[in-house]
Coordinates of all heavy atoms in Angstrom, one line a residue:
K172 N -4.1 -33.2 84.3 CA -3.2 -34.1 83.6 C -3.5 -34.0 82.1 O -2.6 -34.0 81.2 CB -3.4 -35.5 84.1 CG -2.3 -36.4 83.7 CD -2.2 -37.6 84.6 CE -1.1 -38.5 84.1 NZ -1.6 -39.9 84.0
K173 N -4.8 -34.0 81.8 CA -5.2 -34.1 80.4 C -4.7 -32.9 79.6 O -4.3 -33.0 78.4 CB -6.8 -34.1 80.3 CG -7.3 -34.1 79.0 CD -8.8 -34.5 78.9 CE -9.8 -33.6 79.5 NZ -11.2 -33.9 79.2
I174 N -4.6 -31.7 80.3 CA -4.1 -30.5 79.6 C -2.7 -30.1 79.9 O -2.3 -29.0 79.7 CB -5.1 -29.3 79.9 CG1 -5.2 -29.0 81.4 CG2 -6.5 -29.6 79.3 CD1 -5.8 -27.7 81.7
E175 N -2.0 -31.0 80.5 CA -0.6 -30.7 81.0 C 0.2 -30.0 79.9 O 0.9 -29.0 80.2 CB 0.0 -32.0 81.4 CG 1.3 -31.9 82.2 CD 1.6 -33.2 82.9 OE1 1.6 -34.2 82.1 OE2 1.7 -33.3 84.1
G176 N 0.1 -30.5 78.7 CA 1.0 -30.0 77.6 C 0.7 -28.6 77.3 O 1.6 -27.9 76.7
I177 N -0.5 -28.0 77.6 CA -0.7 -26.6 77.1 C -0.4 -25.6 78.3 O -0.4 -24.4 78.0 CB -2.2 -26.5 76.7 CG1 -3.2 -26.8 77.8 CG2 -2.5 -27.2 75.4 CD1 -4.3 -25.9 77.9
I178 N -0.1 -26.1 79.5 CA 0.0 -25.2 80.6 C 1.2 -24.1 80.3 O 1.0 -23.0 80.5 CB 0.3 -25.9 81.9 CG1 -0.8 -26.9 82.2 CG2 0.6 -25.0 83.1 CD1 -2.1 -26.4 82.7
P179 N 2.3 -24.6 79.7 CA 3.3 -23.6 79.4 C 2.9 -22.6 78.4 O 3.5 -21.5 78.3 CB 4.5 -24.4 78.9 CG 4.2 -25.8 79.2 CD 2.7 -26.0 79.4
D180 N 1.8 -22.9 77.6 CA 1.4 -21.9 76.6 C 0.3 -20.9 77.1 O -0.4 -20.3 76.4 CB 0.7 -22.7 75.4 CG 1.6 -23.7 74.8 OD1 2.9 -23.5 74.9 OD2 1.1 -24.7 74.3
L181 N 0.1 -20.9 78.4 CA -0.8 -20.0 79.0 C -0.1 -18.8 79.7 O 0.1 -18.9 80.9 CB -1.8 -20.7 79.9 CG -2.5 -22.0 79.4 CD1 -3.3 -22.7 80.5 CD2 -3.4 -21.6 78.2
P182 N 0.3 -17.8 79.0 CA 1.2 -16.8 79.6 C 0.6 -16.0 80.8 O 1.3 -15.5 81.6 CB 1.5 -15.8 78.4 CG 0.4 -16.1 77.4 CD -0.1 -17.5 77.6
D183 N -0.8 -15.9 80.8 CA -1.4 -15.1 81.8 C -1.8 -15.9 83.1 O -2.2 -15.3 84.1 CB -2.6 -14.4 81.3 CG -2.2 -13.5 80.1 OD1 -1.6 -12.5 80.3 OD2 -2.5 -13.9 78.9
L184 N -1.6 -17.2 82.9 CA -2.1 -18.0 84.1 C -1.1 -17.9 85.2 O 0.1 -18.1 85.1 CB -2.1 -19.5 83.6 CG -2.6 -20.5 84.7 CD1 -4.1 -20.2 85.0 CD2 -2.5 -21.9 84.2
E185 N -1.6 -17.5 86.4 CA -0.7 -17.4 87.6 C -0.8 -18.6 88.5 O 0.2 -19.0 89.1 CB -1.1 -16.1 88.3 CG -0.8 -14.8 87.5 CD -1.2 -13.6 88.1 OE1 -1.6 -13.6 89.3 OE2 -1.1 -12.5 87.4
K186 N -2.0 -19.1 88.7 CA -2.1 -20.2 89.7 C -3.1 -21.3 89.2 O -4.1 -20.9 88.6 CB -2.6 -19.7 91.0 CG -1.6 -18.9 91.8 CD -0.5 -19.8 92.4 CE 0.7 -19.0 93.0 NZ 2.0 -19.5 92.7
I187 N -2.8 -22.5 89.5 CA -3.7 -23.6 89.3 C -4.1 -24.1 90.7 O -3.3 -24.5 91.5 CB -3.1 -24.7 88.5 CG1 -2.6 -24.2 87.2 CG2 -4.1 -25.9 88.3 CD1 -1.9 -25.2 86.3
I188 N -5.4 -24.1 90.9 CA -6.0 -24.7 92.2 C -6.6 -26.0 91.9 O -7.4 -26.2 91.0 CB -7.0 -23.7 92.8 CG1 -6.4 -22.3 93.0 CG2 -7.6 -24.3 94.1 CD1 -7.4 -21.3 93.5
V189 N -6.1 -27.1 92.6 CA -6.6 -28.4 92.3 C -7.5 -29.0 93.4 O -7.1 -29.0 94.6 CB -5.3 -29.3 92.1 CG1 -5.8 -30.8 91.9 CG2 -4.5 -28.8 90.9
V190 N -8.7 -29.4 93.0 CA -9.6 -30.0 93.9 C -9.4 -31.5 93.9 O -9.6 -32.1 92.8 CB -11.1 -29.7 93.4 CG1 -12.1 -30.4 94.3 CG2 -11.3 -28.2 93.5
N191 N -9.1 -32.1 95.0 CA -9.0 -33.5 95.1 C -10.2 -34.1 95.8 O -10.1 -34.4 97.0 CB -7.7 -33.9 95.8 CG -7.4 -35.4 95.7 OD1 -8.0 -36.1 94.9 ND2 -6.4 -35.9 96.5
K192 N -11.3 -34.2 95.1 CA -12.6 -34.6 95.7 C -12.4 -35.9 96.4 O -12.1 -36.9 95.8 CB -13.6 -34.7 94.6 CG -15.0 -34.9 95.1 CD -15.5 -33.7 95.8 CE -16.8 -33.9 96.6 NZ -17.1 -32.9 97.6
N193 N -12.8 -35.9 97.7 CA -12.8 -37.1 98.5 C -11.5 -37.9 98.4 O -11.6 -39.1 98.4 CB -14.0 -37.9 98.2 CG -15.3 -37.2 98.5 OD1 -15.3 -36.2 99.2 ND2 -16.4 -37.6 97.9
N194 N -10.4 -37.2 98.2 CA -9.1 -37.9 98.1 C -9.1 -38.9 97.0 O -8.5 -40.0 97.2 CB -8.7 -38.5 99.4 CG -8.3 -37.4 100.4 OD1 -7.7 -36.4 100.1 ND2 -8.9 -37.5 101.6
R195 N -9.8 -38.7 95.9 CA -9.9 -39.7 94.9 C -8.5 -40.0 94.3 O -8.3 -41.0 93.7 CB -10.9 -39.2 93.8 CG -12.4 -39.4 94.1 CD -13.2 -38.8 93.0 NE -14.6 -38.9 93.3 CZ -15.5 -38.3 92.5 NH1 -15.2 -37.7 91.4 NH2 -16.8 -38.4 92.8
T196 N -7.6 -39.0 94.3 CA -6.3 -39.2 93.7 C -5.2 -39.1 94.8 O -5.3 -38.3 95.7 CB -6.0 -38.0 92.7 OG1 -7.1 -38.0 91.8 CG2 -4.7 -38.2 92.0
D197 N -4.3 -40.1 94.6 CA -3.2 -40.2 95.7 C -2.3 -39.0 95.7 O -2.0 -38.5 96.8 CB -2.4 -41.5 95.5 CG -3.2 -42.7 95.9 OD1 -4.2 -42.4 96.7 OD2 -2.9 -43.8 95.6
D198 N -1.8 -38.6 94.6 CA -0.8 -37.6 94.6 C -1.2 -36.5 93.7 O -0.8 -36.3 92.5 CB 0.5 -38.3 94.0 CG 1.7 -37.6 94.6 OD1 1.6 -36.7 95.4 OD2 2.8 -38.1 94.3
P199 N -2.1 -35.6 94.2 CA -2.8 -34.7 93.2 C -2.1 -33.5 92.7 O -2.4 -32.9 91.7 CB -4.0 -34.3 94.1 CG -3.5 -34.3 95.5 CD -2.6 -35.4 95.6
L200 N -1.0 -33.1 93.4 CA -0.4 -31.8 93.1 C 0.9 -31.9 92.2 O 1.7 -32.8 92.4 CB 0.0 -31.0 94.3 CG -1.2 -30.7 95.2 CD1 -0.7 -29.8 96.4 CD2 -2.3 -29.9 94.5
V201 N 1.0 -31.1 91.2 CA 2.1 -31.0 90.3 C 2.7 -29.6 90.4 O 2.0 -28.7 90.5 CB 1.6 -31.3 88.8 CG1 2.8 -31.4 87.9 CG2 0.7 -32.4 88.7
D202 N 4.0 -29.5 90.2 CA 4.7 -28.2 90.1 C 4.2 -27.3 91.3 O 4.2 -27.7 92.4 CB 4.4 -27.5 88.8 CG 4.9 -28.5 87.6 OD1 5.8 -29.3 87.9 OD2 4.4 -28.3 86.5
D203 N 3.8 -26.1 90.8 CA 3.4 -25.1 91.9 C 1.9 -25.1 92.1 O 1.4 -24.1 92.7 CB 3.8 -23.7 91.4 CG 5.3 -23.5 91.2 OD1 6.0 -24.2 92.0 OD2 5.7 -22.7 90.3
D204 N 1.2 -26.1 91.8 CA -0.2 -26.2 92.0 C -0.6 -26.0 93.5 O 0.2 -26.4 94.3 CB -0.8 -27.5 91.6 CG -0.7 -27.7 90.1 OD1 -0.3 -26.8 89.4 OD2 -1.2 -28.8 89.6
L205 N -1.7 -25.4 93.7 CA -2.2 -25.2 95.1 C -3.3 -26.2 95.3 O -4.2 -26.5 94.5 CB -2.7 -23.8 95.2 CG -1.7 -22.7 94.9 CD1 -2.4 -21.3 94.9 CD2 -0.6 -22.7 96.0
S206 N -3.4 -26.7 96.6 CA -4.4 -27.6 96.9 C -5.7 -26.8 97.4 O -5.6 -26.0 98.3 CB -4.0 -28.5 98.0 OG -5.1 -28.9 98.9
Y207 N -6.8 -27.1 96.8 CA -8.1 -26.4 97.1 C -8.4 -26.7 98.6 O -8.7 -25.8 99.4 CB -9.2 -26.9 96.2 CG -10.6 -26.5 96.6 CD1 -11.1 -25.4 96.1 CD2 -11.3 -27.3 97.5 CE1 -12.4 -25.0 96.4 CE2 -12.6 -26.9 97.8 CZ -13.2 -25.8 97.3 OH -14.5 -25.4 97.6
E208 N -8.2 -27.9 99.0 CA -8.5 -28.3 100.4 C -7.7 -27.6 101.4 O -8.2 -27.1 102.4 CB -8.4 -29.8 100.6 CG -9.5 -30.7 99.8 CD -9.2 -30.8 98.3 OE1 -8.0 -30.5 97.8 OE2 -10.1 -31.1 97.5

Side-chain angles (χ1 to χ4, degrees):
K172 193 157 175 229
K173 179 163 73 168
I174 58 161
E175 197 162 52
I177 59 141
I178 304 285
D180 305 332
L181 306 176
D183 302 286
L184 183 66
E185 290 177 10
K186 285 289 170 219
I187 302 179
I188 301 176
V189 177
V190 172
N191 188 14
K192 185 72 190 163
N193 298 342
N194 292 315
R195 283 178 183 172
T196 305
D197 282 343
D198 213 357
L200 299 183
V201 188
D202 304 334
D203 295 331
D204 290 0
L205 301 169
S206 151
Y207 172 91
E208 292 76 17

